[in-house]
Amino acid sequence: MKALDKKQVLTRINSLKLQELIELIDSGDIALDEMIAEGLSENMAGDIKKHYDSKKQNTINEGEAIALCQQIENGDFSAVEIKNHLLSEKITESYLLNHTSLNENLIDKIKYFEKRRTDFRSWQQLPPLEQNRTDLYFFGQPGSGKSCILASVFYFLKQNGLIINDAHNPQGNIYRNQLTDEIEVGILPDSTQRDGVNYIPIELRNTTNESYKHPLNFIEMSGELFNEAYQSGINNENLAAKQYLDNKNKKLIYFVLDYFNDKRGINQGGVSQSSKMEHILSLLDQFGTLNNTDGIFIVLSKTDLFPKGVDRNQYALEFLQKKYLQFYNNIKELQKQYKFEIKLYPYSIGEVKFKDLLTEFNTTSPLELIQDVLNYTFVSKKPWYKIF
């Protein structure tokens, strides 16, 4: 078809019948994407997709496709693997709709599931922490869920319009944006790369007094750096680099405990999470960090795996006292000296299906954490002429 003829057809695309549109696509003259770009109605586009989906379905072995659906429903495949089955035409959207619990929204998330590479930085590449702020540190072993928790927190803040951007560390803002953009479509973040660190400076709007704001530094480091500090002590190659821990800013320290690994009784490198946490706590005391610490918060991650029907707060406390009693008692002992707050958060980012697809976002956990951030962090007042 000549370019001029094609342009004329596209201008009256919504006046053509279904069969006429299908013939144009089959002939190779006009692609469906081009029709949609020119304003083809959603109903007609849906009918065309159903037509081609039906054609694909006729070429698929029904028994094999239903068996594949059962495996998908059982959680045997990741979102990426399901996407690849769709692309390779081993299965169709119709089969997924008829033989799994997937709905059209989740299928769309799977079809467009694409994880971007995360650009982590080393200590040496990061700018110094901004002063006159509260520093929020997230400590935990590899795979404990620190990045997922941060993604959940930042997404919640974005949805509620509470973030005031800060340009002091642009790379940190890029990382924050990637976390929020991807979790919005169900994509979970990568684990922080070995030796990787992210520092995200933001300001939070005060929810009760608009003349106040909360300047914060979020610091996340890889679990490998946490493990290295356990083995070698706090030094300039891990937690103490760039005076991050020994500056004068007030601090909130979050110890992220992986409920899933503890439930299965898994120790990384033969060392339990409890032993690592106890040792890091004593190092922070020895290093002088607790002199400027306003809160030590224990975050029990992946609590969507709690037994059904339990009271999440009570069960989390009982679990902590059973598995981490010495760590917990050591924190309470240090509290007598330093007067910081102690809190326990049973944290769930929401329902995760197909290994790596967030299908339902949990707002309770980030709300609880942020409410306490607002209560326990440094507050600055806007100049009168900036209040509006």
Side-chain angles (χ1 to χ4, degrees):
M1 180 180 290
K2 294 180 181 179
L4 182 60
D5 293 338
K6 181 176 178 179
K7 186 175 181 180
Q8 290 175 340
V9 171
L10 287 172
T11 60
R12 55 186 184 88
I13 198 70
N14 282 306
S15 67
L16 299 179
K17 296 180 180 179
L18 175 62
Q19 190 56 42
E20 293 173 319
L21 295 172
I22 290 172
E23 288 173 0
L24 287 169
I25 294 170
D26 287 343
S27 68
D29 288 329
I30 303 177
L32 176 57
D33 287 347
E34 293 178 291
M35 296 178 180
I36 293 173
E38 288 296 322
L40 181 67
S41 71
E42 289 186 12
N43 288 340
M44 185 63 80
D47 289 342
I48 293 173
K49 289 177 182 177
K50 287 177 184 176
H51 166 79
Y52 286 105
D53 200 19
S54 176
K55 288 184 67 175
K56 288 180 187 177
Q57 189 165 327
N58 291 334
T59 67
I60 293 175
N61 181 295
E62 185 172 10
E64 292 178 1
I66 292 175
L68 188 58
C69 284
Q70 188 59 57
Q71 288 180 285
I72 290 170
E73 188 65 16
N74 292 340
D76 294 345
F77 297 108
S78 67
V80 171
E81 290 169 328
I82 300 171
K83 175 182 177 179
N84 289 336
H85 285 317
L86 284 167
L87 291 174
S88 63
E89 300 184 3
K90 289 182 179 179
I91 204 166
T92 65
E93 292 182 40
S94 293
Y95 272 108
L96 291 176
L97 288 169
N98 292 326
H99 299 285
T100 74
S101 58
L102 285 166
N103 55 34
E104 290 183 355
N105 179 54
L106 290 178
I107 292 173
D108 281 342
K109 284 186 175 182
I110 288 171
K111 283 164 56 181
Y112 300 108
F113 191 101
E114 187 171 347
K115 181 74 184 75
R116 286 183 290 162
R117 181 181 179 277
T118 305
D119 185 18
F120 293 104
R121 297 301 174 99
S122 67
W123 285 115
Q124 293 75 20
Q125 294 173 300
L126 294 177
L129 288 180
E130 282 197 272
Q131 301 302 302
N132 298 318
R133 289 174 165 252
T134 302
D135 302 337
L136 283 65
Y137 284 88
F138 287 78
F139 295 139
Q141 68 179 17
S144 58
K146 298 184 302 297
S147 297
C148 286
I149 288 169
L150 282 176
S152 164
V153 167
F154 291 139
Y155 179 64
F156 176 84
L157 291 173
K158 179 181 178 181
Q159 292 300 98
N160 288 276
L162 296 178
I163 294 178
I164 303 170
N165 283 328
D166 186 303
H168 185 66
N169 181 23
Q171 197 62 39
N173 290 331
I174 290 171
Y175 174 59
R176 171 171 58 81
N177 290 336
Q178 181 177 350
L179 289 177
T180 55
D181 290 346
E182 291 186 341
I183 204 169
E184 184 171 12
V185 293
I187 299 174
L188 302 183
D190 293 329
S191 295
T192 311
Q193 296 168 3
R194 182 175 182 83
D195 301 331
V197 181
N198 277 297
Y199 149 43
I200 304 103
I202 65 172
E203 292 180 324
L204 294 188
R205 292 182 173 87
N206 188 286
T207 53
T208 57
N209 188 335
E210 293 185 359
S211 67
Y212 289 95
K213 57 186 178 180
H214 299 257
L216 309 174
N217 296 317
F218 282 81
I219 300 102
E220 178 203 7
M221 64 194 65
S222 70
E224 284 78 11
L225 282 177
F226 177 82
N227 285 347
E228 199 276 332
Y230 169 78
Q231 295 291 340
S232 308
I234 295 175
N235 58 57
N236 287 332
E237 298 303 317
N238 50 62
L239 309 188
K242 296 237 178 189
Q243 295 187 311
Y244 273 32
L245 274 178
D246 59 353
N247 62 27
K248 299 304 180 184
N249 286 353
K250 290 294 187 179
K251 294 170 178 59
L252 302 182
I253 296 174
Y254 296 84
F255 287 102
V256 180
L257 307 179
D258 186 344
Y259 170 72
F260 181 59
N261 271 3
D262 263 324
K263 182 186 174 202
R264 296 189 298 166
I266 293 177
N267 292 341
Q268 293 189 7
V271 182
S272 68
Q273 286 191 94
S274 181
S275 294
K276 291 177 186 176
M277 295 298 180
E278 290 168 32
H279 187 58
I280 294 296
L281 178 66
S282 65
L283 289 175
L284 292 172
D285 179 25
Q286 182 184 43
F287 197 71
T289 303
L290 300 186
N291 287 310
N292 294 312
T293 296
D294 286 339
I296 291 185
F297 302 138
I298 303 167
V299 185
L300 190 59
S301 67
K302 308 174 187 176
T303 57
D304 47 289
L305 301 174
F306 276 3
K308 298 293 185 184
V310 300
D311 180 282
R312 57 190 283 272
N313 292 306
Q314 183 62 34
Y315 185 83
L317 180 59
E318 291 172 357
F319 182 83
L320 180 70
Q321 292 173 334
K322 177 182 178 181
K323 298 285 291 188
Y324 293 91
L325 183 59
Q326 185 165 296
F327 174 57
Y328 181 50
N329 284 342
N330 286 342
I331 294 176
K332 290 196 294 182
E333 192 66 29
L334 289 168
Q335 183 189 40
K336 297 175 185 176
Q337 178 181 352
Y338 295 106
K339 312 301 181 186
F340 50 70
E341 293 286 337
I342 303 174
K343 286 225 171 181
L344 169 64
Y345 299 97
Y347 204 103
S348 170
I349 63 171
E351 184 178 4
V352 177
K353 299 184 73 172
F354 315 112
K355 298 182 180 180
D356 52 8
L357 181 68
L358 182 66
T359 59
E360 185 175 338
F361 182 76
N362 180 300
T363 59
T364 300
S365 293
L367 174 61
E368 291 173 344
L369 191 147
I370 289 302
Q371 283 177 333
D372 286 336
V373 167
L374 295 176
N375 288 334
Y376 299 131
T377 56
F378 174 80
V379 176
S380 65
K381 189 172 184 179
K382 299 177 186 177
W384 67 269
Y385 53 83
K386 290 189 177 179
I387 298 174
F388 57 86

